[in-house]
mmCIF file with all atom_site columns, all heavy atoms in Angstrom:
data_model
loop_
_atom_site.group_PDB
_atom_site.id
_atom_site.type_symbol
_atom_site.label_atom_id
_atom_site.label_alt_id
_atom_site.label_comp_id
_atom_site.label_asym_id
_atom_site.label_entity_id
_atom_site.label_seq_id
_atom_site.pdbx_PDB_ins_code
_atom_site.Cartn_x
_atom_site.Cartn_y
_atom_site.Cartn_z
_atom_site.occupancy
_atom_site.B_iso_or_equiv
_atom_site.pdbx_formal_charge
_atom_site.auth_seq_id
_atom_site.auth_comp_id
_atom_site.auth_asym_id
_atom_site.auth_atom_id
_atom_site.pdbx_PDB_model_num
ATOM 1  N N   . ALA A 1 235 ? -5.907 1.365  -17.508 1.00 94.00 ? 338 ALA A N   1
ATOM 2  C CA  . ALA A 1 235 ? -6.279 2.764  -17.707 1.00 94.00 ? 338 ALA A CA  1
ATOM 3  C C   . ALA A 1 235 ? -5.197 3.695  -17.184 1.00 94.00 ? 338 ALA A C   1
ATOM 4  O O   . ALA A 1 235 ? -4.886 4.721  -17.803 1.00 94.00 ? 338 ALA A O   1
ATOM 5  C CB  . ALA A 1 235 ? -7.615 3.052  -17.016 1.00 94.00 ? 338 ALA A CB  1
ATOM 6  N N   . LEU A 1 236 ? -4.592 3.350  -16.075 1.00 95.00 ? 339 LEU A N   1
ATOM 7  C CA  . LEU A 1 236 ? -3.567 4.208  -15.497 1.00 95.00 ? 339 LEU A CA  1
ATOM 8  C C   . LEU A 1 236 ? -2.300 4.229  -16.328 1.00 95.00 ? 339 LEU A C   1
ATOM 9  O O   . LEU A 1 236 ? -1.567 5.229  -16.335 1.00 95.00 ? 339 LEU A O   1
ATOM 10 C CB  . LEU A 1 236 ? -3.257 3.760  -14.071 1.00 95.00 ? 339 LEU A CB  1
ATOM 11 C CG  . LEU A 1 236 ? -4.376 4.015  -13.062 1.00 95.00 ? 339 LEU A CG  1
ATOM 12 C CD1 . LEU A 1 236 ? -4.079 3.324  -11.757 1.00 95.00 ? 339 LEU A CD1 1
ATOM 13 C CD2 . LEU A 1 236 ? -4.567 5.517  -12.848 1.00 95.00 ? 339 LEU A CD2 1
ATOM 14 N N   . ARG A 1 237 ? -2.006 3.144  -17.027 1.00 94.00 ? 340 ARG A N   1
ATOM 15 C CA  . ARG A 1 237 ? -0.798 3.123  -17.857 1.00 94.00 ? 340 ARG A CA  1
ATOM 16 C C   . ARG A 1 237 ? -0.874 4.096  -19.022 1.00 94.00 ? 340 ARG A C   1
ATOM 17 O O   . ARG A 1 237 ? 0.140  4.385  -19.662 1.00 94.00 ? 340 ARG A O   1
ATOM 18 C CB  . ARG A 1 237 ? -0.517 1.703  -18.354 1.00 94.00 ? 340 ARG A CB  1
ATOM 19 C CG  . ARG A 1 237 ? 0.165  0.831  -17.302 1.00 94.00 ? 340 ARG A CG  1
ATOM 20 C CD  . ARG A 1 237 ? 0.753  -0.427 -17.912 1.00 94.00 ? 340 ARG A CD  1
ATOM 21 N NE  . ARG A 1 237 ? -0.273 -1.342 -18.375 1.00 94.00 ? 340 ARG A NE  1
ATOM 22 C CZ  . ARG A 1 237 ? -0.837 -2.289 -17.614 1.00 94.00 ? 340 ARG A CZ  1
ATOM 23 N NH1 . ARG A 1 237 ? -0.461 -2.422 -16.355 1.00 94.00 ? 340 ARG A NH1 1
ATOM 24 N NH2 . ARG A 1 237 ? -1.762 -3.085 -18.103 1.00 94.00 ? 340 ARG A NH2 1
ATOM 25 N N   . ALA A 1 238 ? -2.086 4.604  -19.299 1.00 93.00 ? 341 ALA A N   1
ATOM 26 C CA  . ALA A 1 238 ? -2.223 5.614  -20.350 1.00 93.00 ? 341 ALA A CA  1
ATOM 27 C C   . ALA A 1 238 ? -1.779 6.995  -19.873 1.00 93.00 ? 341 ALA A C   1
ATOM 28 O O   . ALA A 1 238 ? -1.626 7.916  -20.679 1.00 93.00 ? 341 ALA A O   1
ATOM 29 C CB  . ALA A 1 238 ? -3.671 5.676  -20.828 1.00 93.00 ? 341 ALA A CB  1
ATOM 30 N N   . VAL A 1 239 ? -1.576 7.143  -18.558 1.00 94.00 ? 342 VAL A N   1
ATOM 31 C CA  . VAL A 1 239 ? -1.119 8.420  -18.014 1.00 94.00 ? 342 VAL A CA  1
ATOM 32 C C   . VAL A 1 239 ? 0.393  8.511  -18.200 1.00 94.00 ? 342 VAL A C   1
ATOM 33 O O   . VAL A 1 239 ? 1.129  7.617  -17.770 1.00 94.00 ? 342 VAL A O   1
ATOM 34 C CB  . VAL A 1 239 ? -1.473 8.534  -16.515 1.00 94.00 ? 342 VAL A CB  1
ATOM 35 C CG1 . VAL A 1 239 ? -0.965 9.861  -15.943 1.00 94.00 ? 342 VAL A CG1 1
ATOM 36 C CG2 . VAL A 1 239 ? -2.982 8.403  -16.323 1.00 94.00 ? 342 VAL A CG2 1
ATOM 37 N N   . PRO A 1 240 ? 0.912  9.541  -18.861 1.00 95.00 ? 343 PRO A N   1
ATOM 38 C CA  . PRO A 1 240 ? 2.371  9.652  -19.069 1.00 95.00 ? 343 PRO A CA  1
ATOM 39 C C   . PRO A 1 240 ? 3.125  9.579  -17.746 1.00 95.00 ? 343 PRO A C   1
ATOM 40 O O   . PRO A 1 240 ? 2.785  10.251 -16.774 1.00 95.00 ? 343 PRO A O   1
ATOM 41 C CB  . PRO A 1 240 ? 2.519  11.029 -19.727 1.00 95.00 ? 343 PRO A CB  1
ATOM 42 C CG  . PRO A 1 240 ? 1.204  11.273 -20.396 1.00 95.00 ? 343 PRO A CG  1
ATOM 43 C CD  . PRO A 1 240 ? 0.178  10.658 -19.509 1.00 95.00 ? 343 PRO A CD  1
ATOM 44 N N   . GLY A 1 241 ? 4.162  8.746  -17.725 1.00 96.00 ? 344 GLY A N   1
ATOM 45 C CA  . GLY A 1 241 ? 4.980  8.589  -16.535 1.00 96.00 ? 344 GLY A CA  1
ATOM 46 C C   . GLY A 1 241 ? 4.547  7.470  -15.610 1.00 96.00 ? 344 GLY A C   1
ATOM 47 O O   . GLY A 1 241 ? 5.251  7.171  -14.642 1.00 96.00 ? 344 GLY A O   1
ATOM 48 N N   . ILE A 1 242 ? 3.405  6.839  -15.897 1.00 97.00 ? 345 ILE A N   1
ATOM 49 C CA  . ILE A 1 242 ? 2.922  5.720  -15.071 1.00 97.00 ? 345 ILE A CA  1
ATOM 50 C C   . ILE A 1 242 ? 3.244  4.423  -15.816 1.00 97.00 ? 345 ILE A C   1
ATOM 51 O O   . ILE A 1 242 ? 2.648  4.127  -16.849 1.00 97.00 ? 345 ILE A O   1
ATOM 52 C CB  . ILE A 1 242 ? 1.414  5.805  -14.802 1.00 97.00 ? 345 ILE A CB  1
ATOM 53 C CG1 . ILE A 1 242 ? 1.051  7.152  -14.199 1.00 97.00 ? 345 ILE A CG1 1
ATOM 54 C CG2 . ILE A 1 242 ? 0.972  4.660  -13.891 1.00 97.00 ? 345 ILE A CG2 1
ATOM 55 C CD1 . ILE A 1 242 ? 1.734  7.445  -12.888 1.00 97.00 ? 345 ILE A CD1 1
ATOM 56 N N   . GLY A 1 243 ? 4.228  3.678  -15.303 1.00 97.00 ? 346 GLY A N   1
ATOM 57 C CA  . GLY A 1 243 ? 4.677  2.460  -15.966 1.00 97.00 ? 346 GLY A CA  1
ATOM 58 C C   . GLY A 1 243 ? 4.431  1.217  -15.156 1.00 97.00 ? 346 GLY A C   1
ATOM 59 O O   . GLY A 1 243 ? 3.689  1.228  -14.165 1.00 97.00 ? 346 GLY A O   1
#
Side-chain angles (χ1 to χ4, degrees):
L339 290 170
R340 280 195 291 271
V342 179
I345 306 300

